[in-house]
Amino acid sequence: MKRTTRLLISDDRGDGRVSSAGCLDLEDAGLQAEAEARDALAAVRSLVGAQQLARAADLARDALATPLHPSDRIRFALVLSDVLFNLGDTVQSMAVAGWVLHEPELPESSCAAAQVGMAGVLLAQDDVDGARTIAESLLSGDSRAGDAGVPSAIGILAFIAWREGRTADAMGMLRATARRQAQRERVPSRHHTMLGLAVMLTATGDFDGAAAVIDAARDDIARSDGTWVAAPAILRGRLYLAAGRPQAAADLARAGVAAADLGARILVPLARLLWAQCALLRGDVDEASRQVRGFRAAPVSGRILFASGSYTYTEARLAAEQCGPERAIEILADTYDDPSGSKQLFMEEPGAAAWLVRTALSVGDSDRAAAVAACMTQLAADNRNETSLVAAAAHASGVLGKDPASLLLAAAAHVHPWASASAREDAGEALAARCDASAARDALEQTQHQYVAVGAERDAARVRRRLRRLASLRNGRPVSGWTALTSTERRVARVVAEGLSNPQVGKRLFLSRHTVDFHLRQIFRKLSIHSRVELTRYVIECDPN
């Protein structure tokens, strides 16, 4: 942006004063510069509305490189900080916001916008303490923002409360924030509040409430610059997945990826996470793997609306399918070592705690399994009015204790269809282990219908295999010990006992690595052992051949 100022000096009268013509030229130049700044800012905002964020950022940077009136400089910087955040460049976004806060005579609204922007970056980077400090400063009046940042500060504290496992506080504060923001004519971040509330309502099973909030957020985004236009579709897909409609969810995930790639790239990880979860539910491991690679490559700061732990959890579920439970536990080591740091994960993924317990038990790690179950029990006790958390706690504890009664209670209480089916499947397994074949068959048959209804094809196939095993029990096959093994399982056990690795076993027996992994897990379960060393000893002592 070019600015020129001409001073015409006249000494005709010998007094060295600036002529009136010179004053007019100076005033005209200032007016022209202001007009140019307004036009450039309008162009930046127009590019944002057209989802051309990279070009908008470049134009804002160019403007900031020229002499500007302080008020114009602040406006450009705030827009640039917001655009950089939406592009996923949170480091530069925070740097620009911090620069704004060092401006003297900063208007209250601009100060609030900069501080709220910094808090959002800190939340995206999992710096909860830093975001809390800013929010509390805005509420206490210690900052230069006055009352302008109060609604957003309450919203920030609501997101923090959610991460800390305080569901009622979180949703209450977000509803209060939404009401306060509704009283203002223009609140650029209003849809962030509503989208966060939609995530919480979906997690707690209020699907109708979540749908209404998503609709309101979509309308608000349409009235604003439209930057987050992909977000309502992604969160509606999340809602569909939770409600048992994975195909509709996958369609919205694909659309979300396309829309976010063109605009707010910070939303790309959310869309790819949803896509990966839909693929896992359908049993499409290859597609899930592609989407996991996709969200790994996207800016990690995009992991802002869902728990950051959801990404790790999804990677671990994929790893369990591809490499076995040991690799899944490696990926989730931090969660196992400090379950209390993953409360948001356990709230947003109703089956996660039970899955972690089951996975730890599958490799004989009862201590880690017990730690997760205890954390889930405490989380439910702290939120005893949230049915979804009470059900998840009963589910995790039931898996730990192999307690059919707790598991059937969880299956009935879960408001999320897939989690309900998972709990009933665990109940069927526990009943079979207690030799109650009739009750186990009833539970598993109902489970199979539930999985089919929610499109969980891989899970339904697994239950069908378990029902076939139950049928063999009616023909007299034991449920445990060497004689409980199928002929294939015995062959696998003998080759493993020779010291071969799973890939070597697969090559010897013409089985895939995945199939060998599956048979080995079944062998360990039926023989009540937890290591290859124990299996070798068992084969030597018990194999009649």
Side-chain angles (χ1 to χ4, degrees):
M1 185 184 305
K2 183 178 179 182
R3 291 188 59 175
T4 57
T5 301
R6 291 185 297 124
L7 293 178
L8 300 183
I9 307 298
S10 173
D11 288 326
D12 290 347
R13 290 169 295 179
D15 56 8
R17 289 179 295 175
V18 180
S19 70
S20 60
C23 292
L24 289 174
D25 279 347
L26 180 60
E27 182 178 350
D28 290 344
L31 292 173
Q32 180 182 354
E34 290 177 9
E36 290 176 353
R38 284 196 304 271
D39 291 345
L41 188 59
V44 171
R45 288 173 172 160
S46 177
L47 288 169
V48 170
Q51 303 294 293
Q52 298 183 46
L53 299 190
R55 288 184 61 194
D58 289 341
L59 185 55
R61 287 193 187 96
D62 289 345
L64 286 168
T66 67
L68 289 170
H69 188 277
S71 60
D72 290 330
R73 186 165 61 246
I74 290 168
R75 292 189 188 97
F76 274 106
L78 287 174
V79 171
L80 177 60
S81 178
D82 190 52
V83 169
L84 290 171
F85 178 83
N86 288 319
L87 286 171
D89 189 350
T90 52
V91 173
Q92 287 300 312
S93 174
M94 179 177 282
V96 174
W99 174 80
V100 169
L101 291 172
H102 284 92
E103 281 286 293
E105 300 181 5
L106 187 64
E108 287 186 352
S109 59
S110 298
C111 180
Q115 288 189 289
V116 169
M118 291 186 73
V121 170
L122 291 170
L123 278 179
Q125 295 174 342
D126 285 332
D127 185 351
V128 173
D129 290 339
R132 192 198 314 271
T133 298
I134 291 176
E136 290 176 347
S137 174
L138 287 168
L139 284 177
S140 67
D142 292 341
S143 74
R144 293 179 288 162
D147 293 335
V150 169
S152 295
I154 296 172
I156 292 163
L157 292 176
F159 284 112
I160 292 173
W162 180 253
R163 292 189 180 205
E164 294 176 343
R166 296 180 283 120
T167 60
D169 289 346
M171 289 190 283
M173 284 191 283
L174 279 191
R175 288 190 172 103
T177 300
R179 286 194 296 269
R180 294 191 65 158
Q181 290 176 335
Q183 297 169 2
R184 296 169 177 260
E185 290 185 4
R186 179 176 174 80
V187 181
S189 61
R190 182 183 298 156
H191 55 269
H192 295 165
T193 300
M194 291 185 282
L195 293 170
L197 183 57
V199 170
M200 298 176 191
L201 291 170
T202 298
T204 55
D206 185 355
F207 299 149
D208 290 340
V213 172
I214 291 169
D215 286 343
R218 179 199 59 207
D219 294 342
D220 187 72
I221 290 169
R223 287 192 296 268
S224 63
D225 60 34
T227 307
W228 275 44
V229 68
I234 296 169
L235 293 198
R236 189 173 294 279
R238 175 77 169 184
L239 171 59
Y240 285 164
L241 180 63
R245 299 174 57 189
Q247 186 55 58
D251 291 342
L252 287 173
R254 285 190 286 271
V257 168
D261 269 332
L262 292 174
R265 291 202 292 269
I266 197 169
L267 298 173
V268 169
L270 301 180
R272 291 200 179 277
L273 172 63
L274 173 62
W275 197 342
Q277 290 176 328
C278 293
L280 278 175
L281 192 65
R282 296 195 313 271
D284 189 343
V285 175
D286 290 341
E287 184 60 63
S289 182
R290 281 191 289 273
Q291 297 311 315
V292 166
R293 289 195 299 272
F295 68 62
R296 279 179 186 160
V300 294
S301 54
R303 308 175 182 189
I304 185 171
L305 284 177
F306 301 162
S308 58
S310 290
Y311 295 85
T312 309
Y313 168 61
T314 302
E315 285 192 52
R317 287 179 57 200
L318 175 63
E321 293 287 346
Q322 294 177 318
C323 307
E326 293 84 0
R327 177 57 186 147
I329 289 174
E330 288 177 9
I331 292 172
L332 289 166
D334 290 343
T335 300
Y336 277 116
D337 293 342
D338 181 22
S340 64
S342 297
K343 292 177 182 177
Q344 187 179 357
L345 166 65
F346 298 146
M347 292 188 300
E348 294 178 8
E349 305 286 352
W355 189 91
L356 265 72
V357 171
R358 190 185 311 114
T359 303
L361 290 177
S362 72
V363 299
D365 196 339
S366 57
D367 290 342
R368 277 177 157 170
V372 172
C375 176
M376 192 67 240
T377 298
Q378 185 60 54
L379 182 59
D382 293 341
N383 299 274
R384 60 184 73 253
N385 293 325
E386 290 298 341
T387 302
S388 61
L389 295 180
V390 173
H395 191 176
S397 296
V399 172
L400 180 67
K402 298 179 174 60
D403 180 4
S406 293
L407 291 166
L408 289 172
L409 177 65
H414 268 305
V415 291
H416 297 77
W418 181 86
S420 173
S422 176
R424 201 175 302 279
E425 180 184 0
D426 289 325
E429 283 290 287
L431 288 165
R434 296 188 179 193
C435 299
D436 190 345
S438 178
R441 184 172 59 255
D442 289 344
L444 291 176
E445 285 176 349
Q446 187 172 349
T447 297
Q448 182 184 354
H449 293 316
Q450 286 182 281
Y451 279 144
V452 170
V454 300
E457 300 164 11
R458 194 182 195 87
D459 295 324
R462 182 181 61 249
V463 172
R464 283 194 291 272
R465 291 193 296 271
R466 287 178 171 168
L467 284 168
R468 287 196 294 269
R469 288 201 301 273
L470 277 177
S472 71
L473 293 180
R474 293 200 302 271
N475 296 325
R477 176 178 288 166
V479 296
S480 63
W482 184 259
T483 54
L485 303 183
T486 65
S487 58
T488 302
E489 288 167 350
R490 291 177 192 175
R491 291 199 305 274
V492 169
R494 289 172 182 136
V495 177
V496 169
E498 294 177 20
L500 274 65
S501 66
N502 285 14
Q504 291 170 329
V505 172
K507 188 174 181 180
R508 168 88 64 90
L509 300 179
F510 301 100
L511 299 173
S512 71
R513 164 67 186 272
H514 175 73
T515 301
V516 173
D517 292 345
F518 173 78
H519 284 312
L520 197 55
R521 290 196 294 271
Q522 297 300 100
I523 292 165
F524 280 16
R525 179 181 61 80
K526 292 179 182 179
L527 301 184
S528 298
I529 60 177
H530 306 294
S531 71
R532 301 169 88 91
V533 173
E534 289 181 90
L535 176 58
T536 300
R537 186 183 304 118
Y538 201 106
V539 170
I540 292 172
E541 295 175 355
C542 301
D543 183 7
N545 296 326

